[in-house]
């Protein structure tokens, strides 16, 4: 059934696609089958050499909530940035082409967000799926509100880019885009800048996103550039934070730098081409 556009989408979903033909139907079907009308689903085909581009166009013809962009291959950050450039929703959310969402996930999330009108950032959870192993299979839908500095002192900060909603007004006001200098940790660095520019944050303790870990995942295919990006991302975060005069921000940056240093030394030994 073709669902008509609403005036202003509540959430813009940005999905970069590059050679994920075998997973793409499952991903896009999970959004297609959502009854939540206030979605804008921006699918950026980043120069796929398989049938991914054709599949994307099929969904655009089925449902007017889908917007498909085709571009030459430029990398996942460039694809996500292209989505940000054209997004019109009140909130921004990112998904990956090999993952999928639960049915009607956005009804409960939209209800939670609308309850707190002064919130700029929402931290959610995902299930991590590796074969038969599922982490965070079910979590209670607890909700807690923090100021930015309160949130930065918690253990909730770390997370994937598909574990966050950010108000588009914040993204545009502060010209927030993903760094194309990073092949790895680009989401962590982007999340960091979004958080620093958010007044209040909601932690919504609910897993609705299914994150597939497989042999093609970029997070497990390490090379020297990716491992070195731990250090580059830490440097970018430290530099960006210097104009934010807050003890909580300073302390959080120190923890981020230490964490990225730890990951660098833990992973450099696994890189074969170093």
């Amino acid at each position: 059934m073709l669902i008509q556009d609403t005036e202003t989408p509540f959430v813009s979903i940005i999905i970069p696609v590059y050679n994920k033909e075998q997973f793409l139907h499952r991903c896009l079907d999970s959004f297609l089958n959502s009854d939540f009308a206030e979605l804008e689903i921006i699918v950026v085909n980043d120069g796929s050499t398989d049938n991914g581009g054709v599949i994307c166009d099929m969904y655009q013809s089925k449902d007017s909530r889908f917007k498909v962009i085709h571009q030459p291959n430029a990398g996942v950050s460039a694809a996500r940035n292209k989505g940000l450039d054209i997004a019109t929703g009140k909130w921004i959310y990112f998904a990956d082409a090999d993952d999928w969402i639960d049915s009607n996930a956005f009804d409960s999330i939209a209800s939670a967000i609308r309850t707190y009108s002064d919130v700029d950032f929402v931290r959610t959870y995902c299930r991590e799926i590796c074969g038969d192993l599922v982490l965070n299979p079910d979590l209670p839908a607890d909700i807690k509100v923090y100021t930015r500095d309160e949130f930065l002192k918690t253990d909730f900060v770390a997370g994937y880019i598909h574990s966050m909603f950010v108000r588009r007004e914040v993204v545009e006001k502060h010209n927030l885009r993903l760094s194309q200098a990073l092949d790895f940790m680009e989401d962590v660095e982007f999340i960091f800048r979004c958080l620093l520019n958010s007044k209040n944050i909601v932690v919504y303790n609910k897993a609705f996103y299914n994150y597939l870990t497989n042999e093609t995942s970029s997070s497990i295919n390490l090379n020297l550039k990716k491992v070195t990006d731990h250090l580059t991302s830490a440097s970018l975060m430290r530099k960006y934070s210097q104009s934010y005069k807050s003890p909580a921000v300073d302390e959080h940056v120190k923890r981020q730098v230490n964490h990225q240093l730890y990951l660098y030394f833990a992973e450099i030994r696994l890189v074969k081409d170093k």
Side-chain angles (χ1 to χ4, degrees):
M1 180 179 69
L2 189 69
I3 298 178
Q4 297 300 316
D5 289 327
T6 55
E7 230 175 85
T8 301
F10 188 71
V11 184
S12 291
I13 315 293
I14 298 172
I15 308 173
V17 175
Y18 179 69
N19 290 353
K20 296 291 184 179
E21 177 183 3
Q22 68 270 40
F23 305 109
L24 197 51
H25 282 292
R26 179 177 62 188
C27 173
L28 299 184
D29 278 343
S30 71
F31 290 97
L32 177 70
N33 294 332
S34 172
D35 292 331
F36 192 74
E38 298 173 81
L39 292 182
E40 177 182 58
I41 307 160
I42 302 170
V43 185
V44 183
N45 174 35
D46 189 40
S48 295
T49 58
D50 60 7
N51 290 319
V54 175
I55 294 171
C56 293
D57 287 338
M58 286 171 50
Y59 284 83
Q60 183 172 241
S61 67
K62 290 180 182 180
D63 191 325
S64 62
R65 293 176 299 176
F66 283 83
K67 295 180 179 178
V68 175
I69 305 295
H70 298 279
Q71 67 179 29
N73 180 249
V76 65
S77 291
R80 286 171 174 158
N81 288 341
K82 175 63 74 174
L84 287 172
D85 289 342
I86 68 169
T88 64
K90 297 175 183 176
W91 289 82
I92 299 292
Y93 183 75
F94 296 94
D96 288 337
D98 49 359
D99 302 332
W100 68 100
I101 60 166
D102 292 350
S103 60
N104 295 322
F106 291 102
D107 292 308
S108 59
I109 290 170
S111 176
I113 291 174
R114 283 172 169 143
T115 302
Y116 304 98
S117 60
D118 58 346
V119 162
D120 297 318
F121 187 100
V122 180
R123 166 71 155 88
T124 63
Y125 285 81
C126 67
R127 298 184 195 91
E128 294 188 48
I129 300 171
C130 184
D132 294 330
L133 178 64
V134 179
L135 302 179
N136 295 334
D138 292 293
L139 292 171
D142 297 333
I143 297 174
K144 188 166 183 179
V145 183
Y146 297 85
T147 65
R148 183 200 65 187
D149 285 3
E150 287 172 344
F151 182 75
L152 291 176
K153 295 176 183 178
T154 71
D155 295 327
F156 294 121
V157 175
Y160 302 107
I161 200 165
H162 40 256
S163 296
M164 58 158 268
F165 291 76
V166 62
R167 193 180 291 276
R168 187 170 66 87
E169 182 181 319
V170 171
V171 172
E172 297 308 318
K173 179 180 178 180
H174 299 281
N175 193 29
L176 302 178
R177 296 293 188 271
L178 288 100
S179 172
Q180 292 179 227
L182 295 170
D183 295 333
F184 204 40
M185 295 290 118
E186 77 288 343
D187 52 350
V188 172
E189 195 265 340
F190 178 76
I191 291 168
F192 173 80
R193 287 185 284 121
C194 290
L195 281 171
L196 259 57
N197 292 297
S198 297
K199 181 180 178 182
N200 294 307
I201 290 97
V202 157
V203 174
Y204 186 37
N205 190 29
K206 179 180 174 64
F208 67 93
Y209 183 93
N210 300 285
Y211 171 59
L212 183 66
T213 301
N214 57 69
E215 65 277 3
T216 64
S217 294
S218 62
S219 58
I220 62 174
N221 289 306
L222 297 174
N223 57 42
L224 186 60
K225 173 65 166 62
K226 285 183 178 179
V227 175
T228 305
D229 276 349
H230 284 299
L231 307 182
T232 307
S233 65
S235 177
L236 290 172
M237 286 187 278
R238 183 176 180 275
K239 182 177 180 181
Y240 188 82
S241 70
Q242 288 175 347
S243 62
Y244 294 79
K245 306 301 182 184
S246 161
V249 171
D250 292 343
E251 188 60 33
H252 177 68
V253 170
K254 290 177 184 177
R255 293 202 307 271
Q256 280 283 3
V257 170
N258 286 336
H259 181 59
Q260 297 305 325
L261 281 169
Y262 168 79
L263 292 174
Y264 170 79
F265 286 113
E267 293 175 0
I268 191 67
R269 61 189 174 85
L270 304 175
V271 177
K272 296 177 182 179
D273 65 353
K274 65 179 180 291

